Amino acid sequence: MTPVIKKLLITVCLLTPGIVSSQSADNFFKVTHVAGNVHMLEAPDTDGNIGVFSGPDGVLLIDDRYDRDTENLLTAVRSISDAEIRFVVNTHVHPDHIGGNNNLAAYGVTILAHDDVRVRMLTELRIPRRGGITFPQPPAGALPVITYSDAISFHLNGEEVRVFIAPPAHTDGDSFVHFRGSDVMHLGDVFRTNMYPIIDVYNGGSFLGMIAAMELAIELAGPDTKVIPGHGSGVSNREGMQEVLALLYDIRERISALVAQGLTLEQTIAAAPLAIHDARWGQVPSWTAADFVPIVYEELRALGN
Ligand SMILES: [Zn+2]
């Protein structure tokens, strides 16, 4: 099938509800209008929130969750816009953000990501959750066909969408997306509203980089800016980012103090330095203070040496 035919097919699918999926009645994704040309798609697990930028020039998606979610994704996009899906930007390499690439690329959608994301997609992926789990190498069709080292801009639907590399934070290939006209940001997994930040040290993540990245995002935001978190329910804003940054500052201070006292990692864990935050941020079983504290401790201790 030629790309043109595939492109036509996806257009037909998007215009014809019956073709899309028997799951269309499930309303798998919650669709929220964020502001201007931007919507947010939120799945029941609140992982891998998708940004949908749409208008007469076409649709740009920010992330595409898992392979199994593509039909539901197309249904949700169609509820927003009948325009052609032209681009997907992957905010980073994790499977809940790139899993739909292969399906969408087969429809002729162009995949973009930071250089490092493509490099990491050329092999299997190990991430630190649950003590280290491995995902298989994605299919060749999932690979970004356009990559950037610093930034790239889209000029679509009457506004500029700026995509740029953040300081190494969640990974070393985290992109921020700034919809300037709509006054919306999608920060990928650098910003999550439901749990402690995940620092993926297997893929270049950094706790101090996370602080720098959040400082940058807050600096770019205005009082009315809406923010799509990578994980967590609902649209956030500058106050939401400031809450996370305050959390990060407090964690840095608490664990730095223990490092400065010469405590070992075991002693630091035993001191439960994040106990005061656990009720709000430590309730997702796959990423608790037990996962997070060692990573912060090791980074801060290395800094002192
Ligand atoms: Zn992630």
Side-chain angles (χ1 to χ4, degrees):
M1 199 183 293
T2 68
V4 172
I5 292 175
K6 284 174 183 169
K7 206 169 269 187
L8 286 172
L9 266 179
I10 196 170
T11 305
V12 171
C13 285
L14 289 172
L15 290 171
T16 316
I19 293 177
V20 174
S21 169
S22 59
Q23 295 173 292
S24 59
D26 292 347
N27 293 321
F28 177 78
F29 284 106
K30 179 182 168 196
V31 179
T32 303
H33 180 232
V34 180
N37 295 319
V38 184
H39 287 73
M40 169 179 167
L41 305 185
E42 179 185 326
D45 60 11
T46 71
D47 285 344
N49 291 325
I50 293 171
V52 181
F53 173 71
S54 62
D57 299 334
V59 175
L60 158 66
L61 299 177
I62 310 303
D63 292 336
D64 51 25
R65 275 187 59 97
Y66 297 107
D67 169 81
R68 62 176 182 266
D69 297 328
T70 300
E71 290 301 311
N72 287 318
L73 168 58
L74 294 177
T75 302
V77 172
R78 195 203 157 276
S79 76
I80 300 166
S81 170
D82 290 336
E84 179 189 350
I85 302 175
R86 296 176 64 184
F87 305 104
V88 174
V89 170
N90 297 138
T91 58
H92 64 293
V93 71
H94 287 154
D96 54 327
H97 300 260
I98 66 158
N101 281 12
N102 192 45
N103 299 329
L104 293 169
Y107 286 130
V109 178
T110 301
I111 314 289
L112 299 94
H114 183 262
D115 295 336
D116 290 349
V117 172
R118 192 177 192 282
V119 168
R120 294 197 185 283
M121 286 172 72
L122 297 174
T123 181
E124 65 176 20
L125 184 78
R126 190 163 177 236
I127 68 169
R129 290 182 85 166
R130 298 172 206 105
I133 51 176
T134 302
F135 293 89
Q137 180 181 341
L143 291 173
V145 296
I146 297 176
T147 63
Y148 47 88
S149 59
D150 182 29
I152 194 165
S153 292
F154 294 84
H155 303 272
L156 283 174
N157 302 324
E159 69 176 287
E160 179 184 356
V161 181
R162 187 81 173 148
V163 181
F164 54 96
I165 187 73
H170 178 60
T171 70
D172 60 6
D174 302 316
S175 285
F176 284 170
V177 183
H178 192 185
F179 304 93
R180 289 184 170 174
S182 297
D183 198 10
V184 175
M185 300 169 82
H186 189 311
L187 303 182
D189 284 4
V190 174
F191 180 55
R192 51 183 78 215
T193 56
N194 61 336
M195 61 201 287
Y196 288 123
I198 292 182
I199 313 298
D200 182 349
V201 288
Y202 296 141
N203 294 291
S206 160
F207 172 70
L208 294 176
M210 182 71 78
I211 290 177
M214 288 308 301
E215 287 173 338
L216 173 65
I218 290 167
E219 194 180 306
L220 291 171
D224 300 322
T225 302
K226 301 284 192 290
V227 185
I228 299 175
H231 294 238
S233 183
V235 176
S236 190
N237 53 22
R238 192 166 66 175
E239 285 69 35
M241 296 194 294
Q242 285 166 334
E243 183 190 10
V244 167
L245 183 59
L247 170 75
L248 295 174
Y249 284 155
D250 186 69
I251 290 170
R252 181 177 64 182
E253 196 175 314
R254 286 171 186 276
I255 298 185
S256 291
L258 299 178
V259 169
Q261 289 169 32
L263 265 59
T264 65
L265 174 60
E266 290 67 28
Q267 290 167 332
T268 299
I269 292 169
L274 304 194
I276 193 172
H277 299 300
D278 278 342
R280 166 70 179 89
W281 299 99
Q283 299 305 307
V284 175
S286 60
W287 189 257
T288 64
D291 303 289
F292 187 36
V293 168
I295 286 172
V296 179
Y297 173 89
E298 295 296 353
E299 187 172 332
L300 295 177
R301 190 177 61 93
L303 205 67
N305 288 341

